Amino acid sequence: MFENFSIKKYSDNPNQYRSFIEIFRKKTFQEGNESLSYKKYDPDSPDIETWMVFNEDNNLISVSAGEKSHYTNDPDIALRICRYHILKLFRRTHCGLMMAEYQIQWAREHGYQILYVTHDIKNRAINALYQRKKKMPFKSFKKWTEGEWYKKLQLEKNFLFKTGPMYQYVYSIRLFDPNFIWKPKSDHIVEKKHNGDI
């Protein structure tokens, strides 16, 4: 049940994949996740690319999107990875890490300088993982520690990301120049020096 996955990109066949997305979207609502709500997410938007993980039974089990970063006012420089959800039955399959390697490659091919993701500062488990302070107990996770996402993702220590009342850490990968200085400016960026320990 947890093997033989395939990763597809929505734009390769929107007519085929739209029905899968809609079924999956309803399942995420049932699981209490609203990140794929109709107000927040349209897979046909030209500013979004969606990656999907299908299992061996051709069921869509996970979705992650890359959005041009209007939040940081640099949509031609930064790609925000978001809208991630994996169905509860498949939580230990590391679908996010599977898709991440494809997303990094795609972002480079499209000329982005930065790929980034944000996480609630209160989510200690995810932040410990992204800061490489926590070892995952699953043997299946080990191979993903060799990927670029796991090795190169770095915490932005000069600012936080804010949506509504929530403050989030920002984690990024420099896609070309490791010394590229990223200084996003918007109402969503709160300048604050930190070490990921807020």
Side-chain angles (χ1 to χ4, degrees), residues 40 67-75 78 80 82-83 116 118 161-164 182 184-189:
K40 295 179 179 179
E67 295 181 350
K68 290 184 175 183
S69 188
H70 299 292
Y71 282 113
T72 53
N73 288 324
D74 51 4
R80 183 182 183 212
C82 55
R83 311 298 166 210
Y116 77 98
T118 64
F161 185 85
K162 188 175 186 292
T163 51
W182 185 36
K185 300 289 184 183
S186 80
D187 293 340
H188 295 282
I189 297 298

mmCIF file with all atom_site columns, all heavy atoms in Angstrom, residues 40 67-75 78 80 82-83 116 118 161-164 182 184-189:
data_model
loop_
_atom_site.group_PDB
_atom_site.id
_atom_site.type_symbol
_atom_site.label_atom_id
_atom_site.label_alt_id
_atom_site.label_comp_id
_atom_site.label_asym_id
_atom_site.label_entity_id
_atom_site.label_seq_id
_atom_site.pdbx_PDB_ins_code
_atom_site.Cartn_x
_atom_site.Cartn_y
_atom_site.Cartn_z
_atom_site.occupancy
_atom_site.B_iso_or_equiv
_atom_site.pdbx_formal_charge
_atom_site.auth_seq_id
_atom_site.auth_comp_id
_atom_site.auth_asym_id
_atom_site.auth_atom_id
_atom_site.pdbx_PDB_model_num
ATOM 1   N N   . LYS A 1 40  ? -8.683 29.921 -1.862  1.00 0.00 ? 40  LYS A N   1
ATOM 2   C CA  . LYS A 1 40  ? -7.227 29.948 -1.767  1.00 0.00 ? 40  LYS A CA  1
ATOM 3   C C   . LYS A 1 40  ? -6.511 29.276 -2.924  1.00 0.00 ? 40  LYS A C   1
ATOM 4   O O   . LYS A 1 40  ? -5.351 29.581 -3.195  1.00 0.00 ? 40  LYS A O   1
ATOM 5   C CB  . LYS A 1 40  ? -6.788 29.258 -0.465  1.00 0.00 ? 40  LYS A CB  1
ATOM 6   C CG  . LYS A 1 40  ? -7.224 29.956 0.795   1.00 0.00 ? 40  LYS A CG  1
ATOM 7   C CD  . LYS A 1 40  ? -6.755 29.189 2.020   1.00 0.00 ? 40  LYS A CD  1
ATOM 8   C CE  . LYS A 1 40  ? -7.165 29.872 3.304   1.00 0.00 ? 40  LYS A CE  1
ATOM 9   N NZ  . LYS A 1 40  ? -6.722 29.098 4.495   1.00 0.00 ? 40  LYS A NZ  1
ATOM 10  N N   . GLU A 1 67  ? 3.673  28.434 -5.903  1.00 0.00 ? 67  GLU A N   1
ATOM 11  C CA  . GLU A 1 67  ? 3.010  29.664 -6.304  1.00 0.00 ? 67  GLU A CA  1
ATOM 12  C C   . GLU A 1 67  ? 4.024  30.790 -6.486  1.00 0.00 ? 67  GLU A C   1
ATOM 13  O O   . GLU A 1 67  ? 4.929  30.951 -5.660  1.00 0.00 ? 67  GLU A O   1
ATOM 14  C CB  . GLU A 1 67  ? 2.002  30.110 -5.236  1.00 0.00 ? 67  GLU A CB  1
ATOM 15  C CG  . GLU A 1 67  ? 0.835  29.170 -5.044  1.00 0.00 ? 67  GLU A CG  1
ATOM 16  C CD  . GLU A 1 67  ? -0.154 29.675 -3.996  1.00 0.00 ? 67  GLU A CD  1
ATOM 17  O OE1 . GLU A 1 67  ? 0.155  30.666 -3.286  1.00 0.00 ? 67  GLU A OE1 1
ATOM 18  O OE2 . GLU A 1 67  ? -1.230 29.087 -3.892  1.00 0.00 ? 67  GLU A OE2 1
ATOM 19  N N   . LYS A 1 68  ? 3.854  31.559 -7.547  1.00 0.00 ? 68  LYS A N   1
ATOM 20  C CA  . LYS A 1 68  ? 4.644  32.781 -7.683  1.00 0.00 ? 68  LYS A CA  1
ATOM 21  C C   . LYS A 1 68  ? 4.433  33.618 -6.429  1.00 0.00 ? 68  LYS A C   1
ATOM 22  O O   . LYS A 1 68  ? 3.298  33.816 -5.997  1.00 0.00 ? 68  LYS A O   1
ATOM 23  C CB  . LYS A 1 68  ? 4.203  33.577 -8.910  1.00 0.00 ? 68  LYS A CB  1
ATOM 24  C CG  . LYS A 1 68  ? 4.556  32.928 -10.228 1.00 0.00 ? 68  LYS A CG  1
ATOM 25  C CD  . LYS A 1 68  ? 4.175  33.830 -11.379 1.00 0.00 ? 68  LYS A CD  1
ATOM 26  C CE  . LYS A 1 68  ? 4.625  33.237 -12.702 1.00 0.00 ? 68  LYS A CE  1
ATOM 27  N NZ  . LYS A 1 68  ? 4.312  34.141 -13.834 1.00 0.00 ? 68  LYS A NZ  1
ATOM 28  N N   . SER A 1 69  ? 5.498  34.099 -5.845  1.00 0.00 ? 69  SER A N   1
ATOM 29  C CA  . SER A 1 69  ? 5.403  34.694 -4.523  1.00 0.00 ? 69  SER A CA  1
ATOM 30  C C   . SER A 1 69  ? 4.957  36.154 -4.533  1.00 0.00 ? 69  SER A C   1
ATOM 31  O O   . SER A 1 69  ? 5.749  37.073 -4.338  1.00 0.00 ? 69  SER A O   1
ATOM 32  C CB  . SER A 1 69  ? 6.729  34.566 -3.779  1.00 0.00 ? 69  SER A CB  1
ATOM 33  O OG  . SER A 1 69  ? 6.558  34.978 -2.443  1.00 0.00 ? 69  SER A OG  1
ATOM 34  N N   . HIS A 1 70  ? 3.660  36.348 -4.710  1.00 0.00 ? 70  HIS A N   1
ATOM 35  C CA  . HIS A 1 70  ? 3.096  37.686 -4.593  1.00 0.00 ? 70  HIS A CA  1
ATOM 36  C C   . HIS A 1 70  ? 3.144  38.158 -3.138  1.00 0.00 ? 70  HIS A C   1
ATOM 37  O O   . HIS A 1 70  ? 3.175  39.351 -2.870  1.00 0.00 ? 70  HIS A O   1
ATOM 38  C CB  . HIS A 1 70  ? 1.661  37.696 -5.107  1.00 0.00 ? 70  HIS A CB  1
ATOM 39  C CG  . HIS A 1 70  ? 1.563  37.308 -6.547  1.00 0.00 ? 70  HIS A CG  1
ATOM 40  N ND1 . HIS A 1 70  ? 2.064  38.100 -7.561  1.00 0.00 ? 70  HIS A ND1 1
ATOM 41  C CD2 . HIS A 1 70  ? 1.059  36.206 -7.154  1.00 0.00 ? 70  HIS A CD2 1
ATOM 42  C CE1 . HIS A 1 70  ? 1.862  37.510 -8.734  1.00 0.00 ? 70  HIS A CE1 1
ATOM 43  N NE2 . HIS A 1 70  ? 1.252  36.358 -8.508  1.00 0.00 ? 70  HIS A NE2 1
ATOM 44  N N   . TYR A 1 71  ? 3.150  37.208 -2.203  1.00 0.00 ? 71  TYR A N   1
ATOM 45  C CA  . TYR A 1 71  ? 3.214  37.550 -0.783  1.00 0.00 ? 71  TYR A CA  1
ATOM 46  C C   . TYR A 1 71  ? 4.467  38.358 -0.441  1.00 0.00 ? 71  TYR A C   1
ATOM 47  O O   . TYR A 1 71  ? 4.468  39.154 0.487   1.00 0.00 ? 71  TYR A O   1
ATOM 48  C CB  . TYR A 1 71  ? 3.214  36.286 0.079   1.00 0.00 ? 71  TYR A CB  1
ATOM 49  C CG  . TYR A 1 71  ? 1.859  35.650 0.257   1.00 0.00 ? 71  TYR A CG  1
ATOM 50  C CD1 . TYR A 1 71  ? 1.582  34.408 -0.284  1.00 0.00 ? 71  TYR A CD1 1
ATOM 51  C CD2 . TYR A 1 71  ? 0.856  36.290 0.996   1.00 0.00 ? 71  TYR A CD2 1
ATOM 52  C CE1 . TYR A 1 71  ? 0.340  33.811 -0.108  1.00 0.00 ? 71  TYR A CE1 1
ATOM 53  C CE2 . TYR A 1 71  ? -0.384 35.711 1.168   1.00 0.00 ? 71  TYR A CE2 1
ATOM 54  C CZ  . TYR A 1 71  ? -0.641 34.463 0.618   1.00 0.00 ? 71  TYR A CZ  1
ATOM 55  O OH  . TYR A 1 71  ? -1.866 33.882 0.792   1.00 0.00 ? 71  TYR A OH  1
ATOM 56  N N   . THR A 1 72  ? 5.546  38.114 -1.171  1.00 0.00 ? 72  THR A N   1
ATOM 57  C CA  . THR A 1 72  ? 6.803  38.810 -0.884  1.00 0.00 ? 72  THR A CA  1
ATOM 58  C C   . THR A 1 72  ? 7.152  39.834 -1.964  1.00 0.00 ? 72  THR A C   1
ATOM 59  O O   . THR A 1 72  ? 8.260  40.364 -1.992  1.00 0.00 ? 72  THR A O   1
ATOM 60  C CB  . THR A 1 72  ? 7.951  37.795 -0.741  1.00 0.00 ? 72  THR A CB  1
ATOM 61  O OG1 . THR A 1 72  ? 7.980  36.938 -1.896  1.00 0.00 ? 72  THR A OG1 1
ATOM 62  C CG2 . THR A 1 72  ? 7.773  36.941 0.504   1.00 0.00 ? 72  THR A CG2 1
ATOM 63  N N   . ASN A 1 73  ? 6.205  40.091 -2.854  1.00 0.00 ? 73  ASN A N   1
ATOM 64  C CA  . ASN A 1 73  ? 6.366  41.108 -3.903  1.00 0.00 ? 73  ASN A CA  1
ATOM 65  C C   . ASN A 1 73  ? 7.537  40.845 -4.841  1.00 0.00 ? 73  ASN A C   1
ATOM 66  O O   . ASN A 1 73  ? 8.125  41.779 -5.389  1.00 0.00 ? 73  ASN A O   1
ATOM 67  C CB  . ASN A 1 73  ? 6.497  42.512 -3.287  1.00 0.00 ? 73  ASN A CB  1
ATOM 68  C CG  . ASN A 1 73  ? 5.186  43.020 -2.729  1.00 0.00 ? 73  ASN A CG  1
ATOM 69  O OD1 . ASN A 1 73  ? 4.124  42.750 -3.284  1.00 0.00 ? 73  ASN A OD1 1
ATOM 70  N ND2 . ASN A 1 73  ? 5.237  43.727 -1.619  1.00 0.00 ? 73  ASN A ND2 1
ATOM 71  N N   . ASP A 1 74  ? 7.886  39.585 -5.012  1.00 0.00 ? 74  ASP A N   1
ATOM 72  C CA  . ASP A 1 74  ? 8.954  39.249 -5.967  1.00 0.00 ? 74  ASP A CA  1
ATOM 73  C C   . ASP A 1 74  ? 8.602  37.955 -6.708  1.00 0.00 ? 74  ASP A C   1
ATOM 74  O O   . ASP A 1 74  ? 9.342  36.978 -6.664  1.00 0.00 ? 74  ASP A O   1
ATOM 75  C CB  . ASP A 1 74  ? 10.303 39.137 -5.256  1.00 0.00 ? 74  ASP A CB  1
ATOM 76  C CG  . ASP A 1 74  ? 10.268 38.231 -4.028  1.00 0.00 ? 74  ASP A CG  1
ATOM 77  O OD1 . ASP A 1 74  ? 9.208  37.612 -3.760  1.00 0.00 ? 74  ASP A OD1 1
ATOM 78  O OD2 . ASP A 1 74  ? 11.292 38.114 -3.345  1.00 0.00 ? 74  ASP A OD2 1
ATOM 79  N N   . PRO A 1 75  ? 7.459  37.949 -7.409  1.00 0.00 ? 75  PRO A N   1
ATOM 80  C CA  . PRO A 1 75  ? 6.970  36.729 -8.048  1.00 0.00 ? 75  PRO A CA  1
ATOM 81  C C   . PRO A 1 75  ? 7.868  36.172 -9.140  1.00 0.00 ? 75  PRO A C   1
ATOM 82  O O   . PRO A 1 75  ? 7.723  35.004 -9.512  1.00 0.00 ? 75  PRO A O   1
ATOM 83  C CB  . PRO A 1 75  ? 5.607  37.142 -8.615  1.00 0.00 ? 75  PRO A CB  1
ATOM 84  C CG  . PRO A 1 75  ? 5.716  38.624 -8.812  1.00 0.00 ? 75  PRO A CG  1
ATOM 85  C CD  . PRO A 1 75  ? 6.570  39.100 -7.676  1.00 0.00 ? 75  PRO A CD  1
ATOM 86  N N   . ALA A 1 78  ? 10.970 34.548 -6.462  1.00 0.00 ? 78  ALA A N   1
ATOM 87  C CA  . ALA A 1 78  ? 10.709 33.546 -5.425  1.00 0.00 ? 78  ALA A CA  1
ATOM 88  C C   . ALA A 1 78  ? 9.489  32.686 -5.753  1.00 0.00 ? 78  ALA A C   1
ATOM 89  O O   . ALA A 1 78  ? 8.466  33.191 -6.211  1.00 0.00 ? 78  ALA A O   1
ATOM 90  C CB  . ALA A 1 78  ? 10.511 34.234 -4.081  1.00 0.00 ? 78  ALA A CB  1
ATOM 91  N N   . ARG A 1 80  ? 6.935  30.091 -3.846  1.00 0.00 ? 80  ARG A N   1
ATOM 92  C CA  . ARG A 1 80  ? 6.499  29.605 -2.534  1.00 0.00 ? 80  ARG A CA  1
ATOM 93  C C   . ARG A 1 80  ? 5.872  28.213 -2.680  1.00 0.00 ? 80  ARG A C   1
ATOM 94  O O   . ARG A 1 80  ? 4.951  28.010 -3.483  1.00 0.00 ? 80  ARG A O   1
ATOM 95  C CB  . ARG A 1 80  ? 5.474  30.558 -1.925  1.00 0.00 ? 80  ARG A CB  1
ATOM 96  C CG  . ARG A 1 80  ? 5.040  30.121 -0.529  1.00 0.00 ? 80  ARG A CG  1
ATOM 97  C CD  . ARG A 1 80  ? 3.981  31.054 0.035   1.00 0.00 ? 80  ARG A CD  1
ATOM 98  N NE  . ARG A 1 80  ? 3.644  30.649 1.397   1.00 0.00 ? 80  ARG A NE  1
ATOM 99  C CZ  . ARG A 1 80  ? 2.447  30.790 1.943   1.00 0.00 ? 80  ARG A CZ  1
ATOM 100 N NH1 . ARG A 1 80  ? 1.453  31.334 1.243   1.00 0.00 ? 80  ARG A NH1 1
ATOM 101 N NH2 . ARG A 1 80  ? 2.219  30.401 3.177   1.00 0.00 ? 80  ARG A NH2 1
ATOM 102 N N   . CYS A 1 82  ? 3.521  25.532 -1.172  1.00 0.00 ? 82  CYS A N   1
ATOM 103 C CA  . CYS A 1 82  ? 2.407  25.607 -0.231  1.00 0.00 ? 82  CYS A CA  1
ATOM 104 C C   . CYS A 1 82  ? 1.299  24.637 -0.646  1.00 0.00 ? 82  CYS A C   1
ATOM 105 O O   . CYS A 1 82  ? 1.474  23.821 -1.543  1.00 0.00 ? 82  CYS A O   1
ATOM 106 C CB  . CYS A 1 82  ? 1.880  27.038 -0.167  1.00 0.00 ? 82  CYS A CB  1
ATOM 107 S SG  . CYS A 1 82  ? 1.412  27.692 -1.787  1.00 0.00 ? 82  CYS A SG  1
ATOM 108 N N   . ARG A 1 83  ? 0.162  24.754 0.028   1.00 0.00 ? 83  ARG A N   1
ATOM 109 C CA  . ARG A 1 83  ? -1.029 23.930 -0.252  1.00 0.00 ? 83  ARG A CA  1
ATOM 110 C C   . ARG A 1 83  ? -0.750 22.442 -0.091  1.00 0.00 ? 83  ARG A C   1
ATOM 111 O O   . ARG A 1 83  ? -1.417 21.611 -0.698  1.00 0.00 ? 83  ARG A O   1
ATOM 112 C CB  . ARG A 1 83  ? -1.584 24.195 -1.659  1.00 0.00 ? 83  ARG A CB  1
ATOM 113 C CG  . ARG A 1 83  ? -1.760 25.644 -2.011  1.00 0.00 ? 83  ARG A CG  1
ATOM 114 C CD  . ARG A 1 83  ? -2.734 26.345 -1.124  1.00 0.00 ? 83  ARG A CD  1
ATOM 115 N NE  . ARG A 1 83  ? -2.628 27.787 -1.288  1.00 0.00 ? 83  ARG A NE  1
ATOM 116 C CZ  . ARG A 1 83  ? -2.879 28.664 -0.325  1.00 0.00 ? 83  ARG A CZ  1
ATOM 117 N NH1 . ARG A 1 83  ? -3.215 28.249 0.875   1.00 0.00 ? 83  ARG A NH1 1
ATOM 118 N NH2 . ARG A 1 83  ? -2.763 29.941 -0.556  1.00 0.00 ? 83  ARG A NH2 1
ATOM 119 N N   . TYR A 1 116 ? 10.916 28.684 -1.427  1.00 0.00 ? 116 TYR A N   1
ATOM 120 C CA  . TYR A 1 116 ? 10.748 28.750 0.024   1.00 0.00 ? 116 TYR A CA  1
ATOM 121 C C   . TYR A 1 116 ? 9.428  28.149 0.491   1.00 0.00 ? 116 TYR A C   1
ATOM 122 O O   . TYR A 1 116 ? 8.486  27.972 -0.284  1.00 0.00 ? 116 TYR A O   1
ATOM 123 C CB  . TYR A 1 116 ? 10.884 30.186 0.530   1.00 0.00 ? 116 TYR A CB  1
ATOM 124 C CG  . TYR A 1 116 ? 9.683  31.083 0.305   1.00 0.00 ? 116 TYR A CG  1
ATOM 125 C CD1 . TYR A 1 116 ? 8.762  31.309 1.324   1.00 0.00 ? 116 TYR A CD1 1
ATOM 126 C CD2 . TYR A 1 116 ? 9.483  31.732 -0.917  1.00 0.00 ? 116 TYR A CD2 1
ATOM 127 C CE1 . TYR A 1 116 ? 7.671  32.155 1.136   1.00 0.00 ? 116 TYR A CE1 1
ATOM 128 C CE2 . TYR A 1 116 ? 8.411  32.577 -1.108  1.00 0.00 ? 116 TYR A CE2 1
ATOM 129 C CZ  . TYR A 1 116 ? 7.501  32.784 -0.080  1.00 0.00 ? 116 TYR A CZ  1
ATOM 130 O OH  . TYR A 1 116 ? 6.426  33.609 -0.281  1.00 0.00 ? 116 TYR A OH  1
ATOM 131 N N   . THR A 1 118 ? 6.922  28.074 4.333   1.00 0.00 ? 118 THR A N   1
ATOM 132 C CA  . THR A 1 118 ? 6.744  28.673 5.654   1.00 0.00 ? 118 THR A CA  1
ATOM 133 C C   . THR A 1 118 ? 6.039  27.684 6.579   1.00 0.00 ? 118 THR A C   1
ATOM 134 O O   . THR A 1 118 ? 5.251  26.844 6.117   1.00 0.00 ? 118 THR A O   1
ATOM 135 C CB  . THR A 1 118 ? 5.912  29.968 5.574   1.00 0.00 ? 118 THR A CB  1
ATOM 136 O OG1 . THR A 1 118 ? 4.594  29.665 5.113   1.00 0.00 ? 118 THR A OG1 1
ATOM 137 C CG2 . THR A 1 118 ? 6.562  30.967 4.633   1.00 0.00 ? 118 THR A CG2 1
ATOM 138 N N   . PHE A 1 161 ? 7.349  35.363 8.549   1.00 0.00 ? 161 PHE A N   1
ATOM 139 C CA  . PHE A 1 161 ? 6.241  35.501 7.606   1.00 0.00 ? 161 PHE A CA  1
ATOM 140 C C   . PHE A 1 161 ? 4.961  35.554 8.422   1.00 0.00 ? 161 PHE A C   1
ATOM 141 O O   . PHE A 1 161 ? 4.762  34.752 9.336   1.00 0.00 ? 161 PHE A O   1
ATOM 142 C CB  . PHE A 1 161 ? 6.244  34.303 6.655   1.00 0.00 ? 161 PHE A CB  1
ATOM 143 C CG  . PHE A 1 161 ? 5.237  34.378 5.553   1.00 0.00 ? 161 PHE A CG  1
ATOM 144 C CD1 . PHE A 1 161 ? 5.526  35.046 4.375   1.00 0.00 ? 161 PHE A CD1 1
ATOM 145 C CD2 . PHE A 1 161 ? 4.002  33.762 5.671   1.00 0.00 ? 161 PHE A CD2 1
ATOM 146 C CE1 . PHE A 1 161 ? 4.607  35.101 3.334   1.00 0.00 ? 161 PHE A CE1 1
ATOM 147 C CE2 . PHE A 1 161 ? 3.070  33.812 4.648   1.00 0.00 ? 161 PHE A CE2 1
ATOM 148 C CZ  . PHE A 1 161 ? 3.376  34.486 3.485   1.00 0.00 ? 161 PHE A CZ  1
ATOM 149 N N   . LYS A 1 162 ? 4.065  36.474 8.100   1.00 0.00 ? 162 LYS A N   1
ATOM 150 C CA  . LYS A 1 162 ? 2.844  36.641 8.880   1.00 0.00 ? 162 LYS A CA  1
ATOM 151 C C   . LYS A 1 162 ? 1.615  36.598 7.989   1.00 0.00 ? 162 LYS A C   1
ATOM 152 O O   . LYS A 1 162 ? 1.528  37.316 6.993   1.00 0.00 ? 162 LYS A O   1
ATOM 153 C CB  . LYS A 1 162 ? 2.885  37.979 9.622   1.00 0.00 ? 162 LYS A CB  1
ATOM 154 C CG  . LYS A 1 162 ? 1.749  38.180 10.613  1.00 0.00 ? 162 LYS A CG  1
ATOM 155 C CD  . LYS A 1 162 ? 1.939  39.482 11.389  1.00 0.00 ? 162 LYS A CD  1
ATOM 156 C CE  . LYS A 1 162 ? 0.897  39.644 12.480  1.00 0.00 ? 162 LYS A CE  1
ATOM 157 N NZ  . LYS A 1 162 ? -0.461 39.850 11.960  1.00 0.00 ? 162 LYS A NZ  1
ATOM 158 N N   . THR A 1 163 ? 0.691  35.715 8.344   1.00 0.00 ? 163 THR A N   1
ATOM 159 C CA  . THR A 1 163 ? -0.623 35.690 7.690   1.00 0.00 ? 163 THR A CA  1
ATOM 160 C C   . THR A 1 163 ? -1.670 35.727 8.792   1.00 0.00 ? 163 THR A C   1
ATOM 161 O O   . THR A 1 163 ? -1.710 34.832 9.634   1.00 0.00 ? 163 THR A O   1
ATOM 162 C CB  . THR A 1 163 ? -0.823 34.434 6.831   1.00 0.00 ? 163 THR A CB  1
ATOM 163 O OG1 . THR A 1 163 ? -0.518 33.275 7.607   1.00 0.00 ? 163 THR A OG1 1
ATOM 164 C CG2 . THR A 1 163 ? 0.046  34.462 5.604   1.00 0.00 ? 163 THR A CG2 1
ATOM 165 N N   . GLY A 1 164 ? -2.518 36.769 8.791   1.00 0.00 ? 164 GLY A N   1
ATOM 166 C CA  . GLY A 1 164 ? -3.475 36.921 9.878   1.00 0.00 ? 164 GLY A CA  1
ATOM 167 C C   . GLY A 1 164 ? -2.719 37.031 11.193  1.00 0.00 ? 164 GLY A C   1
ATOM 168 O O   . GLY A 1 164 ? -1.702 37.711 11.290  1.00 0.00 ? 164 GLY A O   1
ATOM 169 N N   . TRP A 1 182 ? 18.491 37.635 -0.242  1.00 0.00 ? 182 TRP A N   1
ATOM 170 C CA  . TRP A 1 182 ? 17.043 37.774 -0.444  1.00 0.00 ? 182 TRP A CA  1
ATOM 171 C C   . TRP A 1 182 ? 16.495 38.733 0.605   1.00 0.00 ? 182 TRP A C   1
ATOM 172 O O   . TRP A 1 182 ? 16.624 38.484 1.807   1.00 0.00 ? 182 TRP A O   1
ATOM 173 C CB  . TRP A 1 182 ? 16.384 36.404 -0.330  1.00 0.00 ? 182 TRP A CB  1
ATOM 174 C CG  . TRP A 1 182 ? 14.922 36.383 -0.635  1.00 0.00 ? 182 TRP A CG  1
ATOM 175 C CD1 . TRP A 1 182 ? 14.264 37.124 -1.568  1.00 0.00 ? 182 TRP A CD1 1
ATOM 176 C CD2 . TRP A 1 182 ? 13.931 35.550 -0.025  1.00 0.00 ? 182 TRP A CD2 1
ATOM 177 N NE1 . TRP A 1 182 ? 12.928 36.807 -1.591  1.00 0.00 ? 182 TRP A NE1 1
ATOM 178 C CE2 . TRP A 1 182 ? 12.699 35.845 -0.649  1.00 0.00 ? 182 TRP A CE2 1
ATOM 179 C CE3 . TRP A 1 182 ? 13.984 34.583 0.979   1.00 0.00 ? 182 TRP A CE3 1
ATOM 180 C CZ2 . TRP A 1 182 ? 11.518 35.201 -0.297  1.00 0.00 ? 182 TRP A CZ2 1
ATOM 181 C CZ3 . TRP A 1 182 ? 12.804 33.938 1.339   1.00 0.00 ? 182 TRP A CZ3 1
ATOM 182 C CH2 . TRP A 1 182 ? 11.586 34.241 0.705   1.00 0.00 ? 182 TRP A CH2 1
ATOM 183 N N   . PRO A 1 184 ? 12.977 40.178 0.890   1.00 0.00 ? 184 PRO A N   1
ATOM 184 C CA  . PRO A 1 184 ? 11.573 40.410 0.511   1.00 0.00 ? 184 PRO A CA  1
ATOM 185 C C   . PRO A 1 184 ? 10.952 41.530 1.340   1.00 0.00 ? 184 PRO A C   1
ATOM 186 O O   . PRO A 1 184 ? 11.276 41.709 2.511   1.00 0.00 ? 184 PRO A O   1
ATOM 187 C CB  . PRO A 1 184 ? 10.913 39.066 0.826   1.00 0.00 ? 184 PRO A CB  1
ATOM 188 C CG  . PRO A 1 184 ? 11.759 38.459 1.890   1.00 0.00 ? 184 PRO A CG  1
ATOM 189 C CD  . PRO A 1 184 ? 13.153 38.904 1.588   1.00 0.00 ? 184 PRO A CD  1
ATOM 190 N N   . LYS A 1 185 ? 10.081 42.299 0.694   1.00 0.00 ? 185 LYS A N   1
ATOM 191 C CA  . LYS A 1 185 ? 9.417  43.411 1.368   1.00 0.00 ? 185 LYS A CA  1
ATOM 192 C C   . LYS A 1 185 ? 7.918  43.335 1.111   1.00 0.00 ? 185 LYS A C   1
ATOM 193 O O   . LYS A 1 185 ? 7.471  43.358 -0.034  1.00 0.00 ? 185 LYS A O   1
ATOM 194 C CB  . LYS A 1 185 ? 9.945  44.753 0.847   1.00 0.00 ? 185 LYS A CB  1
ATOM 195 C CG  . LYS A 1 185 ? 11.434 44.978 1.049   1.00 0.00 ? 185 LYS A CG  1
ATOM 196 C CD  . LYS A 1 185 ? 11.774 45.214 2.510   1.00 0.00 ? 185 LYS A CD  1
ATOM 197 C CE  . LYS A 1 185 ? 13.253 45.542 2.669   1.00 0.00 ? 185 LYS A CE  1
ATOM 198 N NZ  . LYS A 1 185 ? 13.637 45.698 4.092   1.00 0.00 ? 185 LYS A NZ  1
ATOM 199 N N   . SER A 1 186 ? 7.148  43.218 2.175   1.00 0.00 ? 186 SER A N   1
ATOM 200 C CA  . SER A 1 186 ? 5.690  43.260 2.062   1.00 0.00 ? 186 SER A CA  1
ATOM 201 C C   . SER A 1 186 ? 5.097  43.306 3.459   1.00 0.00 ? 186 SER A C   1
ATOM 202 O O   . SER A 1 186 ? 5.823  43.182 4.464   1.00 0.00 ? 186 SER A O   1
ATOM 203 C CB  . SER A 1 186 ? 5.153  42.032 1.319   1.00 0.00 ? 186 SER A CB  1
ATOM 204 O OG  . SER A 1 186 ? 5.071  40.908 2.177   1.00 0.00 ? 186 SER A OG  1
ATOM 205 N N   . ASP A 1 187 ? 3.791  43.472 3.537   1.00 0.00 ? 187 ASP A N   1
ATOM 206 C CA  . ASP A 1 187 ? 3.107  43.479 4.830   1.00 0.00 ? 187 ASP A CA  1
ATOM 207 C C   . ASP A 1 187 ? 3.162  42.114 5.497   1.00 0.00 ? 187 ASP A C   1
ATOM 208 O O   . ASP A 1 187 ? 2.882  41.999 6.698   1.00 0.00 ? 187 ASP A O   1
ATOM 209 C CB  . ASP A 1 187 ? 1.644  43.895 4.652   1.00 0.00 ? 187 ASP A CB  1
ATOM 210 C CG  . ASP A 1 187 ? 1.504  45.350 4.221   1.00 0.00 ? 187 ASP A CG  1
ATOM 211 O OD1 . ASP A 1 187 ? 2.475  46.119 4.422   1.00 0.00 ? 187 ASP A OD1 1
ATOM 212 O OD2 . ASP A 1 187 ? 0.447  45.718 3.674   1.00 0.00 ? 187 ASP A OD2 1
ATOM 213 N N   . HIS A 1 188 ? 3.507  41.081 4.735   1.00 0.00 ? 188 HIS A N   1
ATOM 214 C CA  . HIS A 1 188 ? 3.588  39.728 5.292   1.00 0.00 ? 188 HIS A CA  1
ATOM 215 C C   . HIS A 1 188 ? 4.964  39.426 5.880   1.00 0.00 ? 188 HIS A C   1
ATOM 216 O O   . HIS A 1 188 ? 5.147  38.389 6.515   1.00 0.00 ? 188 HIS A O   1
ATOM 217 C CB  . HIS A 1 188 ? 3.263  38.689 4.214   1.00 0.00 ? 188 HIS A CB  1
ATOM 218 C CG  . HIS A 1 188 ? 1.860  38.776 3.725   1.00 0.00 ? 188 HIS A CG  1
ATOM 219 N ND1 . HIS A 1 188 ? 0.789  38.278 4.441   1.00 0.00 ? 188 HIS A ND1 1
ATOM 220 C CD2 . HIS A 1 188 ? 1.337  39.320 2.599   1.00 0.00 ? 188 HIS A CD2 1
ATOM 221 C CE1 . HIS A 1 188 ? -0.320 38.497 3.769   1.00 0.00 ? 188 HIS A CE1 1
ATOM 222 N NE2 . HIS A 1 188 ? -0.021 39.129 2.655   1.00 0.00 ? 188 HIS A NE2 1
ATOM 223 N N   . ILE A 1 189 ? 5.912  40.290 5.642   1.00 0.00 ? 189 ILE A N   1
ATOM 224 C CA  . ILE A 1 189 ? 7.273  40.084 6.144   1.00 0.00 ? 189 ILE A CA  1
ATOM 225 C C   . ILE A 1 189 ? 7.508  40.956 7.374   1.00 0.00 ? 189 ILE A C   1
ATOM 226 O O   . ILE A 1 189 ? 7.328  42.175 7.320   1.00 0.00 ? 189 ILE A O   1
ATOM 227 C CB  . ILE A 1 189 ? 8.319  40.414 5.064   1.00 0.00 ? 189 ILE A CB  1
ATOM 228 C CG1 . ILE A 1 189 ? 8.156  39.471 3.865   1.00 0.00 ? 189 ILE A CG1 1
ATOM 229 C CG2 . ILE A 1 189 ? 9.726  40.314 5.626   1.00 0.00 ? 189 ILE A CG2 1
ATOM 230 C CD1 . ILE A 1 189 ? 8.369  38.004 4.176   1.00 0.00 ? 189 ILE A CD1 1
#
